[in-house]
Amino acid sequence: AQNWWIFPWVTADVAYSAAIVSDSLTGCPGTVLNLTGYGFGSTATPLTYNWTTTSGTLSTTTDQNTSLVIGGNATVRLKVVDNNNDSTFATVNIVSKGINVAITNPSPVSLTCGGSVTLTTSLTGVQTGKNYTWSNGTSGSSSFSIPVTAPGTYSVTVTNNAGCSASA
């Protein structure tokens, strides 16, 4: 037997999957992240998209592209369904770099004439590199409390090294 040709037959099977691409996976509360969903491995088009999140606000839940306004740490899930009604999922975790501040004194604070009271804060969230700025001009990384000797309205803004801030 001469001149035999052997041609291999190759079959590739690509699994039906989904993926999410985001311009970032972190940000301050209120930051807008742009998300794009992809479904691949199915020729049964068109594909439909269904977005959900555990925190924040999505601009749309049914388009291939959506935006998320960060509210806090979130899990964003995408369900992609092909024209055969087969579905696949993708998930991303969004990390909020937010910081929260509260003045722990009761409001209003009682201040006796000639007396003094100390306003104190408590923080939650990302506190790395925190900096306090009080309405009376006091500022710094360790200014978690200030003494007050005059009546008035006082406020504080705390900013962390991620650039996120909160006020009380």
Side-chain angles (χ1 to χ4, degrees), residues 120-143:
T120 305
T121 62
S122 67
L123 298 176
T124 58
V126 177
Q127 301 174 35
T128 308
K130 65 186 176 294
N131 188 57
Y132 297 84
T133 304
W134 287 88
S135 58
N136 71 349
T138 302
S139 65
S141 60
S142 60
S143 302

Side-chain angles (χ1 to χ4, degrees), residues 22-130:
S22 176
D23 50 6
S24 179
L25 296 176
T26 64
C28 299
T31 299
V32 178
L33 301 181
N34 297 304
L35 307 168
T36 302
Y38 295 97
F40 49 90
S42 174
T43 57
T45 56
L47 302 176
T48 59
Y49 301 87
N50 185 13
W51 297 88
T52 58
T53 184
T54 58
S55 177
T57 305
L58 294 166
S59 62
T60 180
T61 59
T62 58
D63 292 338
Q64 183 177 7
N65 300 303
T66 190
S67 297
L68 172 71
V69 178
I70 296 177
N73 290 338
T75 299
V76 177
R77 186 171 179 177
L78 171 64
K79 178 180 180 182
V80 180
V81 181
D82 70 6
N83 207 31
N84 291 333
N85 209 30
D86 291 328
S87 59
T88 186
F89 299 89
T91 303
V92 294
N93 293 314
I94 306 297
V95 177
S96 172
K97 297 288 188 172
I99 188 168
N100 301 303
V101 62
I103 296 177
T104 57
N105 303 71
S107 182
V109 175
S110 295
L111 178 65
T112 58
C113 189
S116 175
V117 79
T118 300
L119 298 180
T120 305
T121 62
S122 67
L123 298 176
T124 58
V126 177
Q127 301 174 35
T128 308
K130 65 186 176 294

